[in-house]
Amino acid sequence: MIVYFADRYFNILGQASTELPGGLTIADDRRVGDVESGVTVFEFTLPFNDKTRALVETCGDVGNYLLRSHKGVNDFYTIIDAEVDTKRQEVTVYAEDAGLELLNEIVGEYAADKAYPINHYIEKFAYDSGFQIGENEAGGLTRKLSWDSDATAAERIASVATQFDGCEISYSFEVEGLRVTKKLINVYKKRGIDAGVQLRLNRELDRIITKKSIVNLATALLPIGGTPEDAEVPINLSGYEYDDGDIYLDGRYLKSRSALARWSRYLNPSEPLTTYTGHILKKYSSEALTQEALCTAAVAALKKAGEIEV
């Protein structure tokens, strides 16, 4: 893997590698894509000595751009945080691919006058950022959406995708040489594929660390939306109807039959008899200003909450 460093004017400052002999080296690199936000994080350390310290600190400075080239794939990032450790002689770099143009850009309240396709919303909230629509698997859908509070452009774009049937986004870049020619926001019905690849412990893998958590687990949600202009209280799902065979509405509560079967509070036969169903209930908040949009977002959230985080 090779990483090129550039300043805000795209002047190349230097390069580092995990494999090439000589030059700057990269250690402890980690690349993590967050499906919920669409943002990919790239973290690594740059060791230095007395001779290379000035160059390493210059390359790894906040605000600089990174072009990561690995196995024919080019990723583009902005350095958000950098930490210099003089005792360990290394610079720790934290970068994100959405960039300051979306991460530090604030968008305000907005209410659409009619139903629009997803590109209308993304182009509005990504305006003047240099990003444009790339892949779009939600092209046939339209929604009338609104928000009653401020958010970063990256947060608002993620919110838009969620309200288009739980779509997911990613950021990608087209590169010619060391020049970025396009910055793209992609919309997918679901990211990732099952590639059928097997990685075996003590062969392809040296170690596997698995962390599991149920801290955010829920079998039912109480969805609360935003407050429309002509109302005094936030909207909820009371009176709305939804049932896909697993997730269904019971009054104001959105419940999952399959999650309840696995996680009911009353699976133990020695529990006292009760008429309560045993749901693990959590509140879900959204900026949605229509019951349809609130329900769509809450269904996606409950599907995620009903599973163990691994």
Side-chain angles (χ1 to χ4, degrees):
M1 177 180 67
I2 300 176
V3 172
Y4 298 92
F5 300 88
D7 62 19
R8 300 294 294 175
Y9 299 95
F10 290 95
N11 297 311
I12 299 300
L13 302 172
Q15 70 179 60
S17 171
T18 55
E19 301 171 352
L20 296 179
L24 303 183
T25 59
I26 292 173
D28 301 327
D29 56 296
R30 188 167 74 114
R31 179 176 176 272
V32 179
D34 184 351
V35 173
E36 187 170 327
S37 67
V39 175
T40 297
V41 170
F42 182 36
E43 300 175 276
F44 57 91
T45 59
L46 290 170
F48 62 78
N49 53 37
D50 292 342
K51 183 179 179 180
T52 61
R53 176 177 175 179
L55 177 59
V56 168
E57 289 192 23
T58 298
C59 289
D61 202 7
V62 293
N64 286 347
Y65 295 120
L66 303 177
L67 177 61
R68 173 184 177 272
S69 180
H70 184 57
K71 295 184 178 180
V73 177
N74 295 319
D75 298 329
F76 182 72
Y77 302 87
T78 301
I79 298 179
I80 306 299
D81 296 315
E83 179 179 286
V84 180
D85 188 326
T86 57
K87 184 174 182 179
R88 300 185 63 175
Q89 292 191 299
E90 64 184 22
V91 174
T92 302
V93 172
Y94 173 92
E96 295 187 3
D97 65 352
L100 296 178
E101 300 88 349
L102 297 176
L103 295 171
N104 285 12
E105 176 70 15
I106 298 297
V107 295
E109 300 178 10
Y110 175 74
D113 58 348
K114 62 179 182 179
Y116 287 100
I118 196 168
N119 61 291
H120 166 85
Y121 297 101
I122 292 180
E123 289 169 359
K124 177 176 179 60
F125 299 130
Y127 173 76
D128 203 28
S129 68
F131 282 89
Q132 57 185 290
I133 291 284
E135 295 287 335
N136 184 5
E137 295 183 356
L141 303 176
T142 60
R143 296 287 184 271
K144 183 179 180 181
L145 304 179
S146 58
W147 296 265
D148 62 354
S149 62
D150 296 340
T152 69
E155 291 170 338
R156 182 61 56 80
I157 290 170
S159 175
V160 169
T162 298
Q163 296 183 69
F164 273 78
D165 291 357
C167 281
E168 299 169 355
I169 62 171
S170 73
Y171 298 90
S172 65
F173 307 86
E174 292 185 6
V175 179
E176 293 182 4
L178 296 178
R179 186 169 62 93
V180 176
T181 57
K182 287 185 180 180
K183 300 192 294 184
L184 303 173
I185 300 173
N186 305 298
V187 181
Y188 300 102
K189 293 180 179 178
K190 184 176 179 60
R191 289 176 62 188
I193 60 172
D194 183 355
V197 176
Q198 293 185 351
L199 301 177
R200 294 160 292 183
L201 187 61
N202 299 322
R203 292 194 181 185
E204 295 85 0
L205 301 178
D206 173 65
R207 177 174 63 170
I208 298 175
I209 299 174
T210 303
K211 179 180 179 180
K212 298 182 180 182
S213 175
I214 58 171
V215 66
N216 296 315
L217 189 136
T219 65
L221 297 178
L222 175 59
I224 302 295
T227 304
E229 292 184 3
D230 57 349
E232 297 181 355
V233 296
I235 66 169
N236 57 53
L237 295 181
S238 180
Y240 196 73
E241 295 183 0
Y242 182 87
D243 191 335
D244 62 12
D246 176 23
I247 296 176
Y248 67 99
L249 267 170
D250 183 6
R252 295 189 301 153
Y253 299 93
L254 196 65
K255 300 179 178 181
S256 169
R257 297 180 176 94
S258 61
L260 178 65
R262 294 192 303 271
W263 297 103
S264 170
R265 298 177 188 272
Y266 300 115
L267 293 178
N268 187 339
S270 65
E271 290 280 1
L273 295 176
T274 177
T275 57
Y276 180 58
T277 56
H279 274 288
I280 300 172
L281 176 66
K282 288 198 171 186
K283 183 179 178 181
Y284 172 75
S285 298
S286 168
E287 297 178 340
L289 296 179
T290 68
Q291 287 187 313
E292 180 184 10
L294 177 59
C295 185
T296 298
V299 167
L302 184 53
K303 288 180 179 178
K304 181 178 180 180
E307 301 290 340
I308 298 174
E309 293 180 352
V310 181

